[in-house]
Amino acid sequence: MSDSDVAGQAGTRGHVAGAFEPSPELGPKPPSQVTGHFSDDNPEMVQFVDADGNRLQTNETNAPFAQIVEDMTSEDARIIYRDLVLVRRIDAEGFALQRQGELGLWPSLFGQEAAQVGAGRALRDHDYAFPGYREHGVAWCRGVDPVSLFGMFRGVNHGGWDSNENNFHLYTIVIGNQMLHAVGYAMGIAADGDVGTGDPERDAAVMAFTGDGGTSQGDFNEALVFAAVTNAPVVFFVQNNQWAISEPNDKQFIIPPYQRARGFGFPGVLVDGNDPLATYAVAKDALDKARNGQGPTLIEAYTYRMGAHTTSDDPTKYRSDAEVEIWKHKDPIKRMRGFMEERGHADPDFFAAVDAEADEIAARIRTACQGMPDPELPTMFDHQYTEPHPVVEAEREEFLAYHAGFAEEGGRA
Amino acid sequence: MSDSDVAGQAGTRGHVAGAFEPSPELGPKPPSQVTGHFSDDNPEMVQFVDADGNRLQTNETNAPFAQIVEDMTSEDARIIYRDLVLVRRIDAEGFALQRQGELGLWPSLFGQEAAQVGAGRALRDHDYAFPGYREHGVAWCRGVDPVSLFGMFRGVNHGGWDSNENNFHLYTIVIGNQMLHAVGYAMGIAADGDVGTGDPERDAAVMAFTGDGGTSQGDFNEALVFAAVTNAPVVFFVQNNQWAISEPNDKQFIIPPYQRARGFGFPGVLVDGNDPLATYAVAKDALDKARNGQGPTLIEAYTYRMGAHTTSDDPTKYRSDAEVEIWKHKDPIKRMRGFMEERGHADPDFFAAVDAEADEIAARIRTACQGMPDPELPTMFDHQYTEPHPVVEAEREEFLAYHAGFAEEGGRA
Amino acid sequence: MSGARLTLAKGLNAGLRKAMDKDPKVVLMGEDVGKLGGVFRITEGLQKDFGEHRVLDTPLAESGIVGTAVGLALRGYRPVVEIQFDGFVYPAFDQIVSQVAKMHARSLGHLKVPMVIRIPCGGGIGAVEHHSESNEAYFAHTAGLRVVSCSNAADAYWMIQQAIETDDPVIFFEPKRRYHERGETEIDEGGAPDLGLYDARVVREGTDATLLCYGPMVKTCLQAAAAAEEEGRNLEVIDLRSLSPLDLPTITASVKKTGRAVIVHEAQTFVGLGAEIAARVQEECFYHLEAPVLRVGGYNIPYPPSRFEEEFLPTLDRVLDAVDRSLAH
Amino acid sequence: MSGARLTLAKGLNAGLRKAMDKDPKVVLMGEDVGKLGGVFRITEGLQKDFGEHRVLDTPLAESGIVGTAVGLALRGYRPVVEIQFDGFVYPAFDQIVSQVAKMHARSLGHLKVPMVIRIPCGGGIGAVEHHSESNEAYFAHTAGLRVVSCSNAADAYWMIQQAIETDDPVIFFEPKRRYHERGETEIDEGGAPDLGLYDARVVREGTDATLLCYGPMVKTCLQAAAAAEEEGRNLEVIDLRSLSPLDLPTITASVKKTGRAVIVHEAQTFVGLGAEIAARVQEECFYHLEAPVLRVGGYNIPYPPSRFEEEFLPTLDRVLDAVDRSLAH
Ligand SMILES: Cc1ncc(C[n+]2csc(CCOP(=O)(O)OP(=O)(O)O)c2C)c(N)n1
Ligand SMILES: Cc1ncc(C[n+]2csc(CCOP(=O)(O)OP(=O)(O)O)c2C)c(N)n1
Ligand SMILES: [Mg+2]
Ligand SMILES: [Mg+2]
């Protein structure tokens, strides 16, 4: 978006650079309504587009990342917008499929699209990503077929995709575990010499995803220790969506988590997680540094979980509608579209085409999910070990014999 | 030491306040000789007495703690000096007893006397301390008989003292575990309402001890999370003795660990761990704040492990004599004595009397250790559960019957 | 609530409430146990009634939860910790094995850590990975702990209170797939439990073989026994209730009577609790056994994706198949 | 070094060196494994010869060590992790159980984590708490892991190489009190191992009863067998070597021959590995057993202070006492 008067224009709309204001009609700002949250109005928060899609002026906070945004093309903007819309649609489909009984569970990313797409698009092919369980948007950007994700939440497998195909690890459910895997993988990249060579086809980095709650785990903090000490090419991407199931931020920390990194000796950056340009720019900058051998960064993407924790959760038990309302106005898609319309990055046909594509994808993945066969029972014993294992083999035999017996008998009682 | 010209005097000796200089004849300063360490010459390090015993001027760094030092009496100084000497002697006795085969192991505190005595004396009776395994100096200040410590390292028990008698928990060997116990205990103090009442007989705090290596553990970092979030009255006292067995600081962190606390939202203070006045003042200040309801503090006492990690260790495998030499000149006892002599806090008789007392104590505890009986074998089954347990009872019976059989037979083969 | 027939979940909730009423030192801790009442609503309403100081929503860190609970216990509290799901207890394993289990013995009895660690356990609910594990064997193997498992609402109500009253640390397993099953019997809150916490219960008397089970498998075994009855077989069913210690007298008396034993649990069999029971039974009932002691359990693979779980977990049919094999001897 | 009679510790060191020579992807990680060569000197000289990038002194955090090793394995490395002492593996238990053990299966075979976790184990060295534990049962119960234990220098040399070559994760137990015992046989470095990693070894043939043991207890059992011989009893001794999977054919063949089995391990017996062996043996050798399978192990209390350990651990006499009891049937 190499458009030199972007900043100026934003300025004319009266927005203070770096501040994060919901529209005035919303009444009091979140901190005065909602307890337990942090970082709203934090001048350290990197933003490029305000809630209405206005490009903000360059300021002290976003300046280090401004060039990345300047270098983005209209095409880039359209790619990101398309991602945002498709990802939201895929997510909505997951939700719907769960409600229809096709999936056992669905953890929605609704509200976090910009955080994930910004991060996901900043990754290059030969980088590697370690997700939690809500990173459907990152999965999408890595090229993982959403139907694969459904397999896991349908109970057909524990993650059907080959992580090495898209350099996107399996989802990790035990909070914090994957942060260490990411650091180890990054240590491996460094040991392979694939850092700081200056060859963009070679230098690689790792990105590890967790949530605000995840920052409390020992593994998360040990990952910061190992990353710091080994100067590993890893970026910790914390989506602070304000909630860990029913627990607000103030049950996990008393200062925003981006500051945690500073206690370990490397930079922490706060970014408006609903601003796709900002998340992209901040993530790209951190990844570039990691690839160049400048070590780890922790990014806190300040965002919001618009839906329930998962389809099993009932957020009315612990949070107010008013809070959700506030965040509706910070919606990343609305924001991106406003920005693109204003800047002329796309015409109405484009937006219509994206919506149509979303319909198509939704239909395709719904059908694919509904038609997903149950796995063959004896495959339960497959892939347990890389080499033959007598106990597993014996049990497979036992299982087959037992079922064969049934088939003969026609079942008991 | 309410002696108004202390600061001035120190100044005349040419010492820059806040800097930490070995005597000039020592050649290059540690950082230029020794890799992997941090914080030498760190202007954030609180000091009151230099390596030669000169009282340093008040400066920006030590000013917040200066009043505490001002309020100390000659009597206080003598108490601390006596502690330092006795504790070193007890430690040396532990070492000797191990060498004589009376103990299985001894982890020496040699070099860390000032860190431990300063912290130990800052604790009040109704505070509670959670040690690691090297806190013999803290144990001494809490009133734990050193012979009890020997019991553990002799293999007679896992810690013979009643923690509640001296509010000094058993030693904890699994690195990091006790940090969480300390926070939990502190949460209990707060829940009991024994914080911030203004009643000094009531308000209490907890101190938790670990080493530089300990800062890497998940439990340590989770303790910081819980302490921050609950605003627990706890002080984390990290003795950075430069080594975790054979690993220097740079295997654990890339910035000094006192800064870690800042990543969690509460203060971290760096103190010269070989300066007994400074460790006392900093510890007392942090404990006072905790008792007053101002929450946790992390103190890094910058010190040195003069001896081996334990009697099983051979430090010549991994560190140079030159490094040890440098630290000899920072010796806490020499320093305290120099200071006291210069200020007239004690006469030669006092120093002689302390030495004599050290001899006496050493003789007493040596004799007590050598005479310590092996435990009665069936007591192995005691105290396993608070209520009867059939497996343990059956095994106790089995054991007794088996040994009774032996006694009859006169043993097999 | 006196005389009510509750679900297992509500039985636990009522038991916790009673314990908190009785003893102000009882505090609940865990993830989401406060406003939400826990993801299974076991602590529902308790924070509202007892306050945030007695029902603590903790940071998301299991080692931290158990570790601070140890500290609270040392200060005189009686923490009841909720682990959100079985698969999330492992981050706390170190604290449980190295500290919780050993504290009393290593302090020569000076220190007590009267705490209960509640673990919703087992499968059968169509959940994703790590949400269906049966990890009782790890804890039963750990000397210093007591390990119990409730199988029904009335036991849940009484056992949680008994566990909280115990000065020893107790790992308390709750069969999550039975949470919403209503108890057979009315709970008389004014009454008293009919069994001690470490007593097994003969839930069905029989003569032909003994089914030994606990937690979620008690129901399965009772169904198996009912089905067997139709085939003219008379099975005794024992709900172990206490997994460590085991109520061996009750177990061996039954096996000596029937001559046959089948152990049923959801956990993988290899070095599972069933192995201990089999080892004990063959030792103590050697001359009474007419067939080897058999085990029916999860297969020895990590808990599979949920589409497999009906076949992974012991079913009525697999139990009866084992009974057949036992009787074939 | 060809043809040398090494200590067990030196056998491991030589085996590690060989594995590192052969495969540049093999990296060693742990606390103090670099300059110091580990507190037991098992990795002595390896950092000097292979560099800091292949022998990594890590931060003091076991979950971090194992967790980053998983990441390295995913990147194509073959990490060999040293846990400094048995009692310090628990902070890594979550990573081992939830990630290391499950990764291959959950990825439908797409991912491998070829890593070895070395654990110096067991007691008898007069150490303080947490330095003498035998925790193999926890790992043996964990589906997805392989668990082995060496008992002598030659096995140590070969087994560590075999474990490193395995694409499955292996928990590798080393009997620390045998580290400095010299092997009976010369190790031919140019040769090949005589057994697969999962094969048990009949270390002494006999007819009257079978002693089943592993790790530090192999020597104890051989001594017991020698003592028994003087009393005219002919004991067969089997070194299990692999604890998961168990080499059941070798075990059952022996017990069917002798009719009697005594399992000996240092670990607490309750839900220990011996329970599994007893359960299996009574099932598969039901008609051959002349006496119940007996177990000799640590008592079911946390590992006691070292002044008790001689009595806590199975001794030659306790083994023979169990043999007597078996033969009395
Ligand atoms: C170790 C562990 N403990 C508990 C859980 C259960 N659990 C699943 S999600 C969640 C909250 C996570 O919050 P956060 O890290 O903020 O991520 P978010 O769900 O908001 O994306 C909890 C407690 C878990 N998955 N892992
Ligand atoms: C969890 C755990 N891992 C490993 C060890 C073995 N160990 C004992 S002391 C030590 C080094 C500790 O270093 P530091 O924390 O700096 O304390 P210091 O010994 O220097 O006082 C290690 C690795 C342990 N006790 N606990
Ligand atoms: Mg969250
Ligand atoms: Mg240290």
Side-chain angles (χ1 to χ4, degrees):
Chain A
M1 305 165 197
S2 317
D3 191 336
S4 57
D5 59 351
V6 168
Q9 254 191 295
T12 60
R13 300 265 305 238
H15 283 269
V16 184
F20 189 50
E21 298 180 332
S23 312
E25 68 272 20
L26 290 178
K29 288 174 195 162
S32 55
Q33 284 204 353
V34 184
T35 57
H37 306 300
F38 298 87
S39 281
D40 243 51
D41 292 317
N42 186 326
E44 290 202 32
M45 182 145 69
V46 178
Q47 293 181 301
F48 284 100
V49 178
D50 76 8
D52 296 318
N54 303 299
R55 178 69 161 79
L56 297 166
Q57 271 184 313
T58 299
N59 56 42
E60 224 185 293
T61 302
N62 68 19
F65 312 96
Q67 191 56 50
I68 294 173
V69 174
E70 296 306 319
D71 290 347
M72 289 172 76
T73 62
S74 293
E75 171 69 10
D76 291 341
R78 289 194 296 270
I79 288 173
I80 286 179
Y81 178 83
R82 173 176 171 268
D83 287 339
L84 294 172
V85 171
L86 298 190
V87 154
R88 178 170 293 180
R89 187 57 163 271
I90 291 163
D91 182 73
E93 206 47 52
F95 182 87
L97 285 164
Q98 194 280 338
R99 285 291 181 257
Q100 293 157 25
E102 294 290 336
L103 302 181
L105 186 84
W106 186 252
S108 168
L109 65 54
F110 183 30
Q112 302 176 217
E113 297 86 353
Q116 295 193 13
V117 168
R121 282 294 163 201
L123 286 161
R124 305 201 59 209
D125 281 353
H126 53 298
D127 295 331
Y128 210 100
F130 285 86
Y133 43 78
R134 200 188 292 286
E135 275 64 72
H136 322 315
V138 185
W140 169 257
C141 294
R142 299 304 286 163
V144 176
D145 187 337
V147 179
S148 300
L149 304 179
F150 292 162
M152 169 174 175
F153 292 104
R154 191 178 168 89
V156 167
N157 55 45
H158 289 319
W161 59 99
D162 179 351
S163 303
N164 291 322
E165 229 167 60
N166 305 94
N167 281 3
F168 183 74
H169 192 66
L170 293 184
Y171 277 3
T172 296
I173 290 179
V174 183
I175 310 248
N177 282 178
Q178 76 277 19
M179 308 312 276
L180 285 165
H181 305 166
V183 176
Y185 197 97
M187 287 161 64
I189 289 177
D192 289 343
D194 295 343
V195 160
T197 68
D199 174 358
E201 293 317 307
R202 183 163 176 195
D203 293 339
V206 177
M207 196 176 257
F209 293 85
T210 192
D212 40 297
T215 64
S216 295
Q217 277 290 356
D219 273 11
F220 174 82
N221 292 286
E222 291 187 8
L224 304 193
V225 170
F226 276 72
V229 166
T230 62
N231 197 41
V234 61
V235 177
F236 302 104
F237 196 92
V238 176
Q239 287 168 79
N240 180 357
N241 65 5
Q242 311 305 314
W243 292 95
I245 310 187
S246 74
E247 299 194 13
N249 276 188
D250 66 2
K251 297 291 176 202
Q252 313 293 344
F253 37 73
I254 59 172
I255 58 168
Y258 72 95
Q259 295 184 22
R260 180 78 52 88
R262 301 176 187 173
F264 292 78
F266 61 89
V269 180
L270 176 65
V271 64
D272 179 347
N274 286 18
D275 174 346
L277 301 191
T279 58
Y280 172 78
V282 163
K284 180 167 186 325
D285 180 69
L287 286 166
D288 282 342
K289 287 186 173 133
R291 295 183 199 111
N292 293 341
Q294 290 165 267
T297 303
L298 189 158
I299 295 170
E300 173 186 351
Y302 189 73
T303 181
Y304 196 72
R305 194 195 79 204
M306 295 299 290
H309 169 68
T310 67
T311 44
S312 299
D313 179 42
D314 174 9
T316 64
K317 294 246 173 201
Y318 53 82
R319 74 181 189 187
S320 70
D321 289 347
E323 179 178 312
V324 182
E325 276 307 311
I326 292 164
W327 282 89
K328 271 193 191 152
H329 292 270
K330 305 185 184 182
D331 183 67
I333 296 183
K334 179 189 84 163
R335 199 152 159 176
M336 187 69 187
R337 182 164 179 155
F339 166 73
M340 290 173 76
E341 285 173 346
E342 192 185 344
R343 327 266 37 239
H345 284 310
D347 55 23
D349 286 353
F350 168 77
F351 296 112
V354 169
D355 287 343
E357 189 182 1
D359 288 342
E360 274 165 48
I361 288 182
R364 172 179 78 78
I365 63 178
R366 181 170 53 245
T367 311
C369 178
Q370 287 161 342
M372 204 182 284
D374 272 3
E376 296 291 326
L377 288 178
T379 64
M380 174 161 64
F381 298 97
D382 291 353
H383 308 300
Q384 296 301 333
Y385 293 88
T386 63
E387 294 169 27
H389 190 287
V391 175
V392 175
E393 292 323 312
E395 291 188 343
R396 187 206 303 270
E397 293 310 311
E398 212 180 89
F399 181 87
L400 291 171
Y402 172 75
H403 281 271
F406 255 98
E408 277 165 34
E409 280 182 40
R412 172 185 286 274
Chain B
M1 309 168 193
S2 317
D3 192 336
S4 56
D5 58 351
V6 168
Q9 255 192 293
T12 60
R13 298 266 305 240
H15 283 270
V16 184
F20 189 49
E21 297 179 332
S23 311
E25 68 272 21
L26 290 179
K29 289 175 194 164
S32 54
Q33 284 206 351
V34 185
T35 56
H37 305 300
F38 298 88
S39 281
D40 242 52
D41 292 315
N42 187 325
E44 290 204 33
M45 182 146 67
V46 178
Q47 292 181 301
F48 284 100
V49 178
D50 75 7
D52 296 318
N54 303 299
R55 178 71 161 78
L56 298 166
Q57 271 182 315
T58 300
N59 56 40
E60 224 186 294
T61 302
N62 70 18
F65 313 96
Q67 190 57 49
I68 293 173
V69 174
E70 296 304 317
D71 289 347
M72 289 172 76
T73 62
S74 293
E75 170 71 9
D76 290 342
R78 289 194 297 269
I79 289 173
I80 286 179
Y81 179 82
R82 174 177 170 268
D83 287 340
L84 294 173
V85 172
L86 298 189
V87 154
R88 176 171 294 177
R89 187 57 164 272
I90 291 163
D91 184 72
E93 206 48 52
F95 183 86
L97 286 164
Q98 195 281 335
R99 285 292 181 255
Q100 294 157 26
E102 295 290 334
L103 302 182
L105 186 84
W106 185 252
S108 169
L109 63 54
F110 184 29
Q112 302 177 218
E113 296 87 355
Q116 295 194 13
V117 168
R121 283 294 162 199
L123 286 161
R124 305 200 58 211
D125 281 353
H126 54 296
D127 294 331
Y128 210 100
F130 285 86
Y133 43 79
R134 201 188 291 287
E135 274 63 71
H136 321 315
V138 185
W140 168 259
C141 295
R142 299 306 283 166
V144 176
D145 187 337
V147 178
S148 300
L149 305 180
F150 292 162
M152 169 174 175
F153 292 103
R154 191 178 167 88
V156 167
N157 55 47
H158 289 319
W161 59 98
D162 179 350
S163 303
N164 291 322
E165 229 167 57
N166 305 95
N167 282 3
F168 183 73
H169 192 67
L170 292 184
Y171 277 5
T172 296
I173 289 178
V174 185
I175 311 249
N177 281 180
Q178 76 277 18
M179 308 312 278
L180 285 164
H181 305 164
V183 176
Y185 197 98
M187 288 162 65
I189 289 177
D192 289 343
D194 295 342
V195 159
T197 68
D199 174 359
E201 294 316 308
R202 183 161 175 196
D203 293 340
V206 177
M207 196 176 259
F209 293 85
T210 193
D212 40 297
T215 63
S216 294
Q217 278 289 358
D219 273 12
F220 174 83
N221 292 286
E222 292 188 9
L224 304 192
V225 169
F226 277 72
V229 166
T230 63
N231 197 41
V234 63
V235 177
F236 301 104
F237 196 91
V238 176
Q239 287 167 78
N240 179 357
N241 64 5
Q242 312 305 316
W243 292 95
I245 309 187
S246 73
E247 299 194 13
N249 276 189
D250 67 1
K251 297 292 174 199
Q252 312 294 344
F253 37 73
I254 59 172
I255 58 169
Y258 73 94
Q259 295 184 21
R260 180 78 54 87
R262 300 175 188 174
F264 292 78
F266 60 90
V269 181
L270 176 66
V271 64
D272 179 346
N274 287 18
D275 173 347
L277 301 192
T279 57
Y280 172 79
V282 163
K284 181 170 185 324
D285 180 70
L287 286 166
D288 281 343
K289 286 185 173 134
R291 295 184 198 111
N292 292 342
Q294 291 165 264
T297 302
L298 189 158
I299 295 171
E300 172 187 351
Y302 188 73
T303 180
Y304 196 73
R305 193 195 80 206
M306 296 297 292
H309 170 67
T310 67
T311 44
S312 300
D313 179 41
D314 173 9
T316 64
K317 293 244 175 205
Y318 53 81
R319 74 181 186 188
S320 70
D321 289 346
E323 179 179 313
V324 182
E325 275 307 310
I326 292 164
W327 282 89
K328 271 195 191 152
H329 292 270
K330 305 184 184 183
D331 183 67
I333 296 184
K334 179 190 82 162
R335 197 151 163 178
M336 187 69 185
R337 182 162 176 159
F339 166 73
M340 290 172 76
E341 285 173 347
E342 190 183 347
R343 328 257 50 233
H345 284 312
D347 54 23
D349 286 354
F350 168 77
F351 295 112
V354 169
D355 286 344
E357 191 182 359
D359 289 342
E360 273 165 48
I361 289 183
R364 174 178 77 75
I365 63 178
R366 181 170 51 244
T367 310
C369 179
Q370 287 161 343
M372 204 182 282
D374 272 3
E376 296 289 326
L377 288 178
T379 64
M380 174 162 65
F381 297 97
D382 291 353
H383 309 301
Q384 295 301 333
Y385 293 89
T386 64
E387 294 169 26
H389 190 287
V391 175
V392 175
E393 293 321 313
E395 291 189 343
R396 187 205 304 270
E397 294 308 313
E398 214 178 87
F399 181 86
L400 291 172
Y402 172 74
H403 280 272
F406 257 98
E408 278 164 35
E409 279 182 43
R412 171 186 285 275
Chain C
M1 198 159 354
S2 165
R5 277 185 52 222
L6 304 175
T7 60
L8 197 157
K10 288 268 192 318
L12 285 167
N13 181 273
L16 288 168
R17 177 180 291 278
K18 188 97 175 282
M20 295 184 78
D21 264 335
K22 268 213 261 188
D23 183 351
K25 291 295 186 185
V26 175
V27 293
L28 312 189
M29 325 170 52
E31 295 154 7
D32 307 291
V33 297
K35 243 186 190 171
L36 185 62
V39 295
F40 294 109
R41 308 292 188 271
I42 303 303
T43 56
E44 186 147 52
L46 297 177
Q47 187 181 68
K48 194 166 145 279
D49 294 347
F50 292 96
E52 292 198 23
H53 284 92
R54 295 201 52 203
V55 183
L56 286 75
D57 271 333
T58 65
L60 205 175
E62 286 76 9
S63 190
I65 299 170
V66 173
T68 54
V70 168
L72 279 160
L74 292 172
R75 178 74 186 180
Y77 285 84
R78 303 184 87 84
V80 181
V81 164
E82 175 172 302
I83 299 292
Q84 197 160 79
F85 281 87
D86 34 67
F88 307 140
V89 71
Y90 306 121
F93 200 69
D94 178 40
Q95 282 285 348
I96 296 174
V97 169
S98 297
Q99 300 297 333
V100 175
K102 296 185 166 79
M103 194 68 80
H104 186 64
R106 66 197 290 267
S107 72
L108 301 179
H110 292 306
L111 302 176
K112 289 176 187 164
V113 280
M115 53 192 282
V116 177
I117 300 178
R118 295 179 37 237
I119 307 182
C121 69
I125 61 163
V128 292
E129 213 182 353
H130 309 291
H131 289 71
S132 303
E133 313 213 340
S134 297
N135 38 30
E136 63 274 9
Y138 296 127
F139 302 103
H141 181 54
T142 305
L145 300 176
R146 293 178 184 267
V147 184
V148 305
S149 174
C150 59
S151 70
N152 63 71
D155 275 359
Y157 175 75
W158 290 116
M159 287 172 74
I160 190 68
Q161 293 181 64
Q162 290 170 313
I164 292 171
E165 280 164 16
T166 304
D167 275 344
D168 291 322
V170 178
I171 310 292
F172 193 93
F173 283 101
E174 306 171 358
K176 67 172 90 82
R177 68 159 137 160
R178 308 291 182 215
Y179 270 149
H180 304 301
E181 292 178 1
R182 203 164 290 281
E184 301 281 306
T185 53
E186 301 195 344
I187 297 170
D188 173 14
E189 286 208 34
D194 62 338
L195 287 178
L197 184 57
Y198 312 114
D199 297 330
R201 187 192 302 282
V202 180
V203 282
R204 180 193 166 107
E205 298 208 14
T207 49
D208 296 345
T210 302
L211 297 181
L212 297 159
C213 54
Y214 51 94
M217 285 293 102
V218 174
K219 184 175 176 182
T220 305
C221 286
L222 283 171
Q223 290 171 336
E229 192 169 18
E230 290 177 20
E231 299 181 13
R233 279 175 190 164
N234 192 355
L235 303 185
E236 181 142 310
V237 180
I238 294 183
D239 178 355
L240 297 175
R241 298 170 83 254
S242 177
L243 312 186
S244 174
L246 286 168
D247 180 358
L248 272 182
T250 301
I251 295 168
T252 54
S254 172
V255 179
K256 282 181 181 166
K257 181 177 77 176
T258 64
R260 291 182 164 82
V262 174
I263 304 151
V264 184
H265 56 50
E266 290 195 4
Q268 288 83 350
T269 52
F270 197 80
V271 200
L273 192 78
E276 178 63 30
I277 299 170
R280 281 290 177 154
V281 166
Q282 64 90 33
E283 188 175 342
E284 307 210 357
C285 310
F286 188 69
Y287 294 111
H288 296 81
L289 279 177
E290 290 170 44
V293 182
L294 298 180
R295 293 177 285 167
V296 181
Y299 294 106
N300 287 292
I301 58 176
Y303 199 92
S306 62
R307 296 273 159 158
F308 293 101
E309 71 184 346
E310 272 185 40
E311 296 297 326
F312 173 81
L313 295 170
T315 55
L316 185 159
D317 285 323
R318 276 177 64 205
V319 172
L320 291 179
D321 179 61
V323 170
D324 285 351
R325 282 186 286 125
S326 174
L327 284 161
H329 275 271
Chain D
M1 197 155 1
S2 167
R5 277 184 55 222
L6 305 175
T7 60
L8 198 155
K10 289 271 193 313
L12 286 167
N13 181 273
L16 288 168
R17 177 179 293 277
K18 188 97 175 280
M20 294 183 79
D21 265 335
K22 266 212 262 188
D23 184 349
K25 291 295 188 185
V26 175
V27 293
L28 312 189
M29 326 170 50
E31 295 154 7
D32 307 292
V33 296
K35 243 188 192 171
L36 184 62
V39 295
F40 294 109
R41 308 292 187 272
I42 304 303
T43 57
E44 186 147 50
L46 298 177
Q47 188 182 66
K48 194 167 143 276
D49 294 347
F50 293 96
E52 293 198 20
H53 284 93
R54 298 206 45 209
V55 182
L56 287 75
D57 271 334
T58 64
L60 205 175
E62 287 75 9
S63 191
I65 299 170
V66 173
T68 54
V70 169
L72 279 161
L74 292 172
R75 179 73 186 181
Y77 286 85
R78 303 184 88 84
V80 181
V81 164
E82 173 173 303
I83 299 293
Q84 197 160 80
F85 280 88
D86 34 67
F88 308 138
V89 71
Y90 307 121
F93 200 69
D94 178 40
Q95 283 285 350
I96 296 174
V97 169
S98 298
Q99 300 297 333
V100 175
K102 296 186 167 79
M103 193 68 79
H104 186 64
R106 65 198 290 267
S107 72
L108 301 178
H110 292 307
L111 301 176
K112 289 175 188 164
V113 282
M115 54 193 281
V116 177
I117 300 178
R118 296 179 36 236
I119 307 182
C121 69
I125 61 161
V128 292
E129 212 181 354
H130 309 292
H131 289 72
S132 304
E133 312 213 340
S134 297
N135 38 30
E136 64 274 8
Y138 296 128
F139 302 102
H141 181 53
T142 305
L145 300 176
R146 293 180 184 264
V147 184
V148 303
S149 174
C150 58
S151 70
N152 63 70
D155 275 0
Y157 175 75
W158 291 117
M159 288 171 73
I160 190 68
Q161 293 181 63
Q162 291 170 312
I164 291 170
E165 278 165 17
T166 304
D167 275 345
D168 291 322
V170 178
I171 310 292
F172 193 94
F173 282 101
E174 305 170 359
K176 68 171 92 79
R177 67 158 135 160
R178 306 290 182 215
Y179 269 149
H180 304 302
E181 293 178 2
R182 203 163 290 282
E184 301 281 307
T185 53
E186 300 195 344
I187 297 170
D188 173 13
E189 286 209 31
D194 63 336
L195 287 177
L197 184 56
Y198 313 113
D199 296 329
R201 186 192 301 282
V202 180
V203 282
R204 180 194 166 107
E205 298 208 16
T207 49
D208 296 344
T210 301
L211 297 181
L212 298 159
C213 54
Y214 51 93
M217 287 291 103
V218 175
K219 184 176 177 183
T220 306
C221 286
L222 283 171
Q223 289 171 336
E229 193 170 17
E230 291 176 20
E231 300 181 11
R233 276 171 191 166
N234 192 355
L235 303 185
E236 181 143 310
V237 180
I238 294 182
D239 178 355
L240 296 175
R241 298 171 80 255
S242 176
L243 312 185
S244 175
L246 286 169
D247 180 358
L248 272 181
T250 300
I251 295 168
T252 55
S254 172
V255 179
K256 283 182 181 163
K257 180 178 76 174
T258 63
R260 291 182 163 82
V262 174
I263 303 150
V264 184
H265 56 49
E266 290 195 4
Q268 289 84 349
T269 53
F270 198 80
V271 200
L273 192 79
E276 178 62 32
I277 299 170
R280 281 291 175 153
V281 167
Q282 64 90 34
E283 188 174 342
E284 308 210 356
C285 310
F286 188 68
Y287 294 111
H288 295 80
L289 279 176
E290 289 168 43
V293 182
L294 298 181
R295 293 177 284 167
V296 181
Y299 294 106
N300 288 290
I301 57 176
Y303 198 92
S306 60
R307 296 272 159 159
F308 293 101
E309 72 184 344
E310 272 185 41
E311 297 297 326
F312 173 82
L313 295 170
T315 55
L316 185 159
D317 286 323
R318 276 175 66 203
V319 173
L320 290 180
D321 179 63
V323 171
D324 285 350
R325 283 185 285 125
S326 175
L327 285 160
H329 275 271

